[in-house]
Amino acid sequence: MGKYIGKRILQAIPLVILISILTFTLIQLAPYDAVDSITTPDMSAEYIEALKEEYGLNDPIYRQYLAWAKKTLSGDFGYSIVTHSNIKEALSQRIPATMLIVIPSYLVALMIAVILGLIAGAKQGTLIDKIVDGFCSITMSTPTFWMGLIFLYIFSYKLNWLPSLGMYTTGQEKSVKDLVWHMFLPCVTLTIAFLPQMIRYVRSSTIGQLAEDYVSVQRTYGATEKNILFRHVLKNALLPLITLVGMSLPMLVTGAFVTESIFSWPGVGPYFLGAIRGFDYPIILVILILSSSLVIIGNLLADILYGLIDTRIKDLGNS
């Protein structure tokens, strides 16, 4: 198993390097320089050229990449071209805010999806299955921003039950209660957005597991459907979710751009969108590299978990 894990890690390292090179190169090939976003008509050509020299934009692209990679690996993410703020400090404040709504939403969605997916899979073709499938179809086809706006309109504007924007109420002392009230609508929106794919994963896996021979054997020995479902099928049906959970790891950085923007949540999403609008390439680069690296790490963790759980992969790693 150790050889298998080591092999997967060695495969991941060059992939991260390749992604960083491609991302850096594509941004450099954009039709205008990053400095163009902060220049004004009254700036002289000499001053603009000095700005480009300051940010190293006149160097060959490979030297720019090596200089950027060296700084990034040392933990220095640089400064915003537009606001001149420290990117590392900004992300250290925004990533926890993003995680604060993403993690609870994902965990709640995961628990609900396991229950609904198991029931729908066990009751395939029945009314319950059709209701669950209909819910998945509706929520998958509903844009997240529209759902968030509807929640804002009903619960904040019309009923005035919940706060609409931000992380805390302006002018009031910060408290856990106030934070939870502000988290509620973004978390509900994200939970509903996460649910359909998870439910269908579990449902499909449950249907497949119920057709396996071991289920027929358990029925022959007189095991109840409930016992078969929750003691035998559940463990095997959850295996595909390992990949899904691993692939969701980048959300800890990227969060939910649309949801955070709608609710003015001070996470990474609005920060990244603002950087894109202003072509603040140091911010864009850092967030893209972090998110793509988390995709690879998520896949790596999923493979390792598969290897620990699935004996077939474990045997393959030892061979």
Side-chain angles (χ1 to χ4, degrees), residues 121 161 182:
W161 288 355
H182 281 80

Side-chain angles (χ1 to χ4, degrees), residues 118-130 203 207-208 210:
L118 276 173
I119 294 173
K123 304 289 184 181
Q124 184 184 7
T126 64
L127 179 61
I128 294 176
D129 182 34
K130 291 178 180 177
R203 177 185 177 274
I207 292 172
L210 287 172

Side-chain angles (χ1 to χ4, degrees), residues 112-181:
I112 295 173
V114 169
I115 296 170
L116 293 181
L118 276 173
I119 294 173
K123 304 289 184 181
Q124 184 184 7
T126 64
L127 179 61
I128 294 176
D129 182 34
K130 291 178 180 177
I131 291 173
V132 173
D133 188 57
F135 167 79
C136 292
S137 298
I138 292 171
T139 49
M140 285 185 74
S141 59
T142 303
T144 305
F145 77 89
W146 186 84
M147 193 187 311
L149 289 173
I150 291 297
F151 287 156
L152 274 177
Y153 178 76
I154 295 174
F155 296 105
S156 295
Y157 178 69
K158 278 295 190 182
L159 299 177
N160 199 25
W161 288 355
L162 296 166
S164 57
L165 304 173
M167 200 170 179
Y168 295 98
T169 302
T170 305
Q172 292 186 11
E173 187 177 349
K174 294 180 179 180
S175 65
V176 175
K177 181 180 178 181
D178 189 36
L179 174 62
V180 171
W181 279 115

Side-chain angles (χ1 to χ4, degrees), residues 39-242:
T39 56
T40 58
D42 58 337
M43 289 182 180
S44 64
E46 291 78 11
Y47 182 73
I48 294 174
E49 195 62 29
L51 282 176
K52 291 182 178 181
E53 192 68 33
E54 179 184 350
Y55 290 109
L57 297 177
N58 289 330
D59 295 337
I61 190 169
Y62 74 91
R63 292 179 65 179
Q64 292 184 46
Y65 170 77
L66 291 174
W68 170 81
K70 183 179 178 181
K71 289 175 61 178
T72 302
L73 288 173
S74 67
D76 181 6
F77 295 163
Y79 291 83
S80 162
I81 289 179
V82 178
T83 64
H84 302 288
S85 59
N86 188 292
I87 298 173
K88 186 176 180 179
E89 290 179 2
L91 288 177
S92 67
Q93 297 171 1
R94 290 177 176 273
I95 289 177
T98 293
M99 293 171 65
L100 199 59
I101 59 171
V102 170
I103 293 178
S105 304
Y106 199 85
L107 292 177
V108 170
L110 192 61
M111 289 187 289
I112 295 173
V114 169
I115 296 170
L116 293 181
L118 276 173
I119 294 173
K123 304 289 184 181
Q124 184 184 7
T126 64
L127 179 61
I128 294 176
D129 182 34
K130 291 178 180 177
I131 291 173
V132 173
D133 188 57
F135 167 79
C136 292
S137 298
I138 292 171
T139 49
M140 285 185 74
S141 59
T142 303
T144 305
F145 77 89
W146 186 84
M147 193 187 311
L149 289 173
I150 291 297
F151 287 156
L152 274 177
Y153 178 76
I154 295 174
F155 296 105
S156 295
Y157 178 69
K158 278 295 190 182
L159 299 177
N160 199 25
W161 288 355
L162 296 166
S164 57
L165 304 173
M167 200 170 179
Y168 295 98
T169 302
T170 305
Q172 292 186 11
E173 187 177 349
K174 294 180 179 180
S175 65
V176 175
K177 181 180 178 181
D178 189 36
L179 174 62
V180 171
W181 279 115
H182 281 80
M183 286 174 57
F184 190 81
L185 284 182
C187 285
V188 169
T189 304
L190 285 176
T191 300
I192 295 174
F194 293 149
L195 271 175
Q197 187 180 14
M198 291 183 181
I199 291 174
R200 289 191 166 177
Y201 257 84
V202 179
R203 177 185 177 274
S204 176
S205 185
T206 301
I207 292 172
Q209 290 300 317
L210 287 172
E212 293 290 334
D213 292 338
Y214 75 88
V215 174
S216 301
V217 172
Q218 291 296 324
R219 285 170 177 161
T220 303
Y221 280 105
T224 63
E225 291 296 320
K226 183 179 179 181
N227 186 278
I228 293 172
L229 191 64
F230 289 99
R231 288 194 61 184
H232 302 282
V233 172
L234 176 61
K235 181 178 70 174
N236 295 318
L238 291 183
L239 281 175
L241 278 180
I242 293 176

